[in-house]
Amino acid sequence: MALQCGIVGLPNVGKSTLFNALTAAKAEAANYPFCTIDPNVGVVTVPDPRLKKITQMIKPQKEIPTTIEFVDIAGLVAGASKGEGLGNQFLANIRETDAIVQVVRCFDDPDVVHVAGSVDPLRDIDVINTELMLADLESIEKRKTRVEKTARATKDKAMLKELDIITKIHQALSDGKPARSIEFDKDDQAFVKGLHLLTTKPILYVCNVSEEDFTAGGNDWSRQVEEFAKAENNLAILICSAMEAEIAQLDPEEQKEFLESLGVKEPGLSRLIREAYALLDLQTYFTAGEKEVRAWTIRKGTKAPQAAGVIHSDFERGFIRAETYNCQDLFDLKSENAVKEAGKYRSEGKEHVVKDGDILVFRFNV
C-alpha cells in the first residue's frame, strides 16, 4: 500500500531539510527558491514501539516495520495555479499524493531569505491554500461545463447527481472554501475522491521553529498556526527541521543522549510520521511467527479478508477465517499460550473488522 504525503510550502521554509531528515535522502537544500526541480520520494518506517515488544516476546528471525512515503515538492509561490514559478508542474505532483504536509516558517533568520520578505505564517498558509483552491476551481469549472451540457441533454439521473455534487464544490471554491469543507454522503465520497481535487486531501501543518523555540514549546507564530489549524479541524505540530537533520546523523545512543539533554522524549520526526499516518486514516496490524514479526498497513474499518489481501491476493480470495488477538493481550499476559488460556484468542469470519494492534493468523484455501 504505497500511500504518499506531499510536503509542500513556500520556498525556503525548510521543506527539503525536513525531507532529508525524514528519509536520509539527498534532496538538495539551498538558500534560494526552486532548488528542488523534481519531486523527491522517500520511504520511511512508521515508529511503533509495539513491534519491538512483540519481537521480544515471539523471538522471530527478523522484524519488518510498516512504511509510508513522503514526497518533497518544490516551493509554491503566489500565482502557481497560473504557472508562476514552477507552479503547474508541482500542483500536478501534489494531486498524485494522498495527503498534504504543509511546512510553515515560524522562525526568523536573516541568513535565510523569505520569498515574501518577512515572516508571517498565516499569510504564507493563505498563499498556499489559495493556490490549491484556484487550481481546483479551474479543474472543476471545466468539469462542470462538460457535465452540465450532457446532463441537460440526456436528463440522466447519474449525470444530474454528478452535476449536483460538482455544483456544490464549485460554489464552495468560489466562496474561498476548500472542497473538504463540504460534508458528502458516503455514497458520494467515492465519486469526489475520483475528482482528485487538491483541497479534498487531509492536511497537517508543520510549524518549523528554531531549536530554542522547539524546546520552549513554540512561539507566537506557531501558536497562530495551531489556532488556525484547530479552527479548520486540522492539526499543527512543532518541528525544528535543522535540529532534526542533525539528530538523523547520530547513532541511536547519541540520539538518546542528545534528546535527553533537551528534555525531549523522541525526535519530532517520530510524531510527524505517526500524525501523517493517522492523517491518512491508517492503522497497523501484525503477523507474528518464528520467521518474522511484521507490521502491515490498512485503512481503519478494513475487514479481515481485505486485510489478508494486503499480504497476498490469494489470502483474500481463499479466505476462510482469521485467528486473532490484540497485541496488548500479549503484553499483559506475556505469551501467546497465556492469551489462549485466558480466552482472548479468537476465530473470526469475513465480517470481522480488524482493529489497530491486532495480531492475525489467516487461514485460507485457494
Side-chain angles (χ1 to χ4, degrees), residues 148-297:
E148 202 166 29
K149 185 177 179 180
T150 306
R152 285 177 177 173
T154 64
K155 302 295 183 183
D156 180 77
K157 287 185 178 180
M159 293 297 291
L160 289 169
K161 178 65 173 175
E162 182 177 335
L163 178 60
D164 179 60
I165 295 170
I166 290 172
T167 300
K168 288 178 182 176
I169 295 172
H170 183 268
Q171 186 60 56
L173 293 168
S174 298
D175 292 341
K177 299 176 183 176
R180 77 176 75 85
S181 65
I182 307 169
E183 290 189 16
F184 294 103
D185 294 338
K186 190 174 182 180
D187 293 340
D188 297 338
Q189 288 173 2
F191 170 74
V192 174
K193 186 176 181 181
L195 295 172
H196 300 293
L197 297 173
L198 301 169
T199 62
T200 57
K201 299 181 189 298
I203 189 165
L204 172 66
Y205 295 101
V206 174
C207 303
N208 190 13
V209 298
S210 67
E211 182 176 328
E212 181 181 356
D213 287 333
F214 179 78
T215 54
N219 56 31
D220 289 343
W221 287 321
S222 67
R223 283 185 278 276
Q224 288 175 21
V225 177
E226 288 166 356
E227 290 175 10
F228 176 86
K230 187 176 180 180
E232 276 193 333
N233 201 29
N234 286 318
L235 181 68
I237 65 171
L238 287 182
I239 285 285
C240 173
S241 61
M243 183 179 76
E244 297 295 338
E246 290 179 24
I247 293 172
Q249 302 302 314
L250 303 174
D251 63 42
E253 191 57 37
E254 288 175 326
Q255 283 188 15
K256 185 180 178 181
E257 291 176 5
F258 182 72
L259 292 170
E260 286 176 352
S261 71
L262 296 175
V264 178
K265 291 183 179 179
E266 64 177 358
L269 292 183
S270 294
R271 186 186 178 202
L272 169 59
I273 295 167
R274 284 199 302 271
E275 294 294 356
Y277 193 73
L279 189 68
L280 291 168
D281 206 29
L282 303 178
Q283 64 181 22
T284 301
Y285 79 85
F286 304 95
T287 52
E290 292 182 2
K291 289 188 176 180
E292 67 178 34
V293 167
R294 183 164 182 167
W296 302 89
T297 296

Side-chain angles (χ1 to χ4, degrees), residues 332-343:
D332 292 342
L333 299 170
K334 309 305 180 187
S335 74
E336 191 175 277
N337 283 336
V339 171
K340 290 178 179 178
E341 290 171 3

Side-chain angles (χ1 to χ4, degrees), residues 317-329:
R317 185 159 54 90
F319 180 87
I320 298 172
R321 67 182 185 277
E323 295 172 5
T324 180
Y325 60 98
N326 195 270
C327 65
Q328 191 58 51
D329 297 327

Side-chain angles (χ1 to χ4, degrees), residues 13-52:
V13 297
K15 292 185 300 78
S16 293
T17 303
L18 179 62
F19 177 82
N20 288 344
L22 272 168
T23 65
K26 299 296 183 183
E28 184 184 359
N31 183 22
Y32 56 90
F34 314 127
C35 66
T36 309
I37 303 303
D38 294 309
N40 295 277
V41 180
V43 180
V44 302
T45 59
V46 177
D48 193 333
R50 298 175 301 181
L51 181 65
K52 182 65 68 179

Side-chain angles (χ1 to χ4, degrees), residues 25 82 98:
K82 301 300 181 185
D98 300 285

